[in-house]
Amino acid sequence: MKKPLILVTNDDGITAPGLRALIKVMKQIGEVIVVAPDSPQSGMGHAITIDNTLYSKKVVIDQDEGAPSEYSCSGTPADCVKLALQEILDRKPDICVSGINHGSNSSINVIYSGTMSAAIEAGIEGVPAIGFSLCDYSWDANFKHALKSVKRIVLEALEHGIPNGTVLNVNIPKSTNEPAGIKICRQARANWKEKFDKRISPTGKDYYWLTGEFELLDKGEDTDEWALAQGFVSVVPTQFDLTAHHVIPQVNNWSLNEK
């Protein structure tokens, strides 16, 4: 049987350890093509390059036998997927996997995530897609205990498919042990209580560092945050139709439709 074609991308950059770990697992499943940013693009969300030139080149990162074809891109994670689907690949991939991100993309973090935006861009184009994140921001994070779950989730997605209009947001707890299991969850309600650390440059100009604290507002035991706290891998089916369908009848009661 023909091996599935797997597009691999991320937002931490093409040399990131999380991406290298993901590539290693995907090579066990299918034919791998990598298109990833040439530098870190964390927090870029679904930004795309419009007014600047996009560059891409074929690169060699791993020297071992069977190393995949890899391309670095000067753009955002969403740019990488667009470029891969339109210019680099000669056929539509069977699945796109993004990550493994260095740091959590659970709860409200999904809004800002370049990792998940790459997966969403693939989903928009009709490609089944999954974003993977490990809840450890360290560049030297240990991905060993995440890989078994990653492989299992990708194999299940290839076998059963992912519904159109949906991608999977997978977060893996930071741990030195194997996860307790996998939980299908909803996104927890939370936000960031943000602050700006104001400083003054040597030339006398004000500049700021964004800081903040994560505030969990949800005590439910069916959320991604709860699952992660209990040592489970969380899987949240995420849709990119942002319409609040349940609110349409309410807004229809306004006077907006009157001539």
Side-chain angles (χ1 to χ4, degrees):
M1 293 180 65
K2 193 172 185 180
K3 288 186 175 181
L5 177 61
I6 304 173
L7 172 62
V8 178
T9 188
N10 76 342
D11 74 351
D12 289 314
I14 197 162
T15 61
L19 178 72
R20 311 321 301 176
L22 183 59
I23 292 169
K24 183 178 180 180
V25 175
M26 293 304 103
K27 284 169 57 181
Q28 300 171 13
I29 298 174
E31 177 188 354
V32 175
I33 302 291
V34 182
V35 184
D38 59 12
S39 60
Q41 297 284 332
S42 296
M44 290 298 291
H46 212 100
I48 57 174
T49 301
I50 296 176
D51 295 326
N52 293 318
T53 306
L54 265 181
Y55 295 93
S56 179
K57 64 178 180 180
K58 194 167 186 177
V59 296
V60 177
I61 307 295
D62 296 327
Q63 301 288 342
D64 61 313
E65 184 178 350
S69 296
E70 300 195 49
Y71 299 81
S72 67
C73 174
S74 63
T76 68
D79 286 330
C80 290
V81 173
K82 286 179 177 291
L83 198 64
L85 297 181
Q86 300 299 326
E87 295 292 330
I88 295 174
L89 297 177
D90 57 7
R91 66 183 177 92
K92 190 174 183 178
D94 295 287
I95 197 166
C96 172
V97 292
S98 181
I100 302 171
N101 189 63
H102 291 244
S104 171
N105 278 315
S106 60
S107 186
I108 195 64
N109 296 307
V110 68
I111 296 293
Y112 309 104
S113 169
T115 299
M116 279 303 296
S117 288
I120 288 169
E121 182 61 37
I124 290 170
E125 295 295 329
V127 177
I130 309 172
F132 290 100
S133 302
L134 178 70
C135 298
D136 186 343
Y137 290 92
S138 171
W139 190 254
D140 298 322
N142 185 352
F143 293 91
K144 178 181 177 181
H145 297 297
L147 302 185
K148 184 177 179 181
S149 298
V150 168
K151 184 176 182 179
R152 180 180 174 188
I153 292 168
V154 171
L155 287 172
E156 288 287 323
L158 285 168
E159 180 179 353
H160 298 288
I162 298 174
N164 290 335
T166 306
V167 300
L168 300 183
N169 181 18
V170 178
N171 283 271
I172 302 156
K174 176 183 177 181
S175 177
T176 57
N177 301 314
E178 292 288 340
I182 299 173
K183 293 283 189 183
I184 311 303
C185 309
R186 64 176 175 86
Q187 176 183 320
R189 285 191 306 110
N191 60 26
W192 282 92
K193 296 181 67 175
E194 293 167 338
K195 301 177 183 178
F196 285 94
D197 183 2
K198 182 178 179 181
R199 304 183 187 182
I200 301 176
S201 74
T203 59
K205 294 182 179 180
D206 294 339
Y207 70 97
Y208 301 86
W209 284 105
L210 177 62
T211 64
E213 296 179 358
F214 183 73
E215 184 178 34
L216 180 60
L217 305 173
D218 199 322
K219 303 302 182 183
E221 296 186 356
D222 58 346
T223 72
D224 49 6
E225 291 294 334
W226 181 88
L228 291 165
Q230 304 303 312
F232 290 92
V233 174
S234 68
V235 179
V236 177
T238 302
Q239 63 185 20
F240 41 85
D241 175 0
L242 300 182
T243 306
H245 294 277
H246 65 288
V247 177
I248 291 176
Q250 179 182 338
V251 179
N252 270 331
N253 289 327
W254 296 5
S255 301
L256 299 178
N257 292 329
E258 295 180 1
K259 293 184 179 180

